[in-house]
């Protein structure tokens, strides 16, 4: 089936060659030439797959992969001229699904793309886009949250913080880790900005639910989502 594919490659000839081969497969292909554009385009257009060159100006492909993995499961195929085992393992550890070393065969690239799309579609068929922790239900496809069945309106950053924390209940995240996963390359973000978002998130989740505490402060560390949110108490906190 045709897919929306984002190609991030600063070599114009290579990018055009990849586009030609993928369009022959019937795919809708968009091309960008640097890492920041790749992040922006991926977040706006939500492609089905990303072909990502590692060596790009400004923000390299490994950092793009790390940022996108904070809030997306999109399959990522890395293209790299680095052939050492350490470099390849780093790419996989950051969330890449597959990699190819340069020079590569365009026909093999299209075959890898087909395989990644098949795997992603099979996984989507098995895995619902909704997960729950206690009475909190998070729909990552529709960006919706419900607490005890009632919808809770969150901002984009609040939703992203909740998804990070609730994705691993009980794990304590530092403010720096939250900034890294939620804000990416926005260097102006301060730790107190995280505190403000968490305060608003708590207020919205706990509104009308006295005694509940979903997001816990871990003193000296940061924040965590309660692995077993407490039952309502008889009064206030």
């Amino acid at each position: 089936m045709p897919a929306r594919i984002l190609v991030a490659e600063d070599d114009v000839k290579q990018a055009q060659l990849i586009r030609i081969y993928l369009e022959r497969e019937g795919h809708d292909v968009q091309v960008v030439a640097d890492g920041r554009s790749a992040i922006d385009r991926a977040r706006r257009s939500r492609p089905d797959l990303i072909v990502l060159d590692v060596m790009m100006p400004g923000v390299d492909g490994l950092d793009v992969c790390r940022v996108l993995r904070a809030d997306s499961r999109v399959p990522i195929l890395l293209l790299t001229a680095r052939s050492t085992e350490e470099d390849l393992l780093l790419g996989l550890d950051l969330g890449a699904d597959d990699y190819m070393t340069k020079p590569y065969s365009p026909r093999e690239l299209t075959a890898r793309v087909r395989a990644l799309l098949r795997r992603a579609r099979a996984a989507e068929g098995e895995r619902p886009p909704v997960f729950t922790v206690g009475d909190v239900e998070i729909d990552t496809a529709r960006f919706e949250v419900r607490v005890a069945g009632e919808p809770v309106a969150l901002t984009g950053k609040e939703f992203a913080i909740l998804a990070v924390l609730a994705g691993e209940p009980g794990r304590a995240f530092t403010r720096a880790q939250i900034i890294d996963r939620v804000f990416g390359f926005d260097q102006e973000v301060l730790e107190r900005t995280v505190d403000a978002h968490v305060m608003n998130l708590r207020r919205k989740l706990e509104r009308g639910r006295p005694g509940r505490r979903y997001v816990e402060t871990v003193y000296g560390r940061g924040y965590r989502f309660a692995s077993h949110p407490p039952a309502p108490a008889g009064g206030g906190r």
Side-chain angles (χ1 to χ4, degrees):
M1 293 177 60
R4 297 186 311 278
I5 298 179
L6 174 62
V7 176
E9 168 65 79
D10 65 320
D11 185 310
V12 176
K13 291 184 178 179
Q14 287 292 318
Q16 183 62 17
L17 184 63
I18 295 171
R19 180 198 286 273
I20 289 171
Y21 272 81
L22 292 179
E23 287 183 342
R24 285 179 183 173
E25 297 274 305
H27 301 305
D28 176 18
V29 181
Q30 299 179 352
V31 176
V32 296
D34 63 85
R36 291 186 183 275
S37 297
I39 293 171
D40 292 341
R41 186 67 62 86
R43 286 175 168 169
R44 288 201 313 269
S45 64
R46 297 197 172 274
D48 299 306
L49 182 142
I50 299 175
V51 178
L52 183 60
D53 183 33
V54 170
M55 301 296 291
M56 288 189 294
V59 180
D60 70 18
L62 295 178
D63 283 331
V64 172
C65 185
R66 175 178 56 81
V67 170
L68 293 180
R69 269 295 169 262
D71 55 12
S72 173
R73 296 191 184 100
V74 60
I76 296 176
L77 171 60
L78 283 182
L79 304 178
T80 177
R82 303 170 179 173
S83 57
T84 68
E85 183 180 27
E86 290 77 12
D87 289 326
L88 299 179
L89 290 176
L90 176 59
L92 295 175
D93 286 342
L94 289 173
D97 297 274
D98 198 359
Y99 64 85
M100 298 184 68
T101 55
K102 296 181 178 182
Y104 54 82
S105 160
R107 293 179 61 190
E108 182 182 357
L109 184 145
T110 58
R112 298 279 189 101
V113 166
R114 284 196 299 269
L116 286 174
L117 288 172
R118 282 196 303 268
R119 276 165 37 192
R121 284 163 178 163
E124 285 301 322
E126 298 169 359
R127 181 184 60 238
V130 179
F131 69 95
T132 60
V133 183
D135 60 356
V136 179
E137 180 183 282
I138 302 169
D139 188 328
T140 58
R142 297 185 179 185
F143 291 90
E144 295 176 351
V145 175
R146 292 179 177 81
V147 179
E150 298 179 7
V152 177
L154 301 180
T155 67
K157 290 294 186 288
E158 291 163 1
F159 183 92
I161 291 173
L162 175 61
V164 168
L165 298 178
E168 298 183 61
R171 173 183 171 180
F173 288 85
T174 65
R175 292 168 178 83
Q177 288 172 326
I178 293 172
I179 290 172
D180 185 53
R181 295 195 181 203
V182 173
F183 296 89
F185 288 95
D186 188 348
Q187 300 298 321
E188 301 302 317
V189 176
L190 302 175
E191 290 192 350
R192 63 174 176 266
T193 303
V194 175
D195 295 336
H197 283 298
V198 169
M199 180 180 67
N200 290 332
L201 175 61
R202 278 176 170 160
R203 176 175 53 81
K204 293 178 179 181
L205 293 177
E206 298 168 9
R207 181 181 293 142
R209 302 172 182 89
R212 290 283 187 172
R213 179 49 64 96
Y214 296 96
V215 179
E216 301 174 335
T217 299
V218 182
Y219 293 99
R221 178 71 178 173
Y223 298 103
R224 70 183 172 208
F225 195 87
S227 54
H228 299 287
R237 293 176 190 165

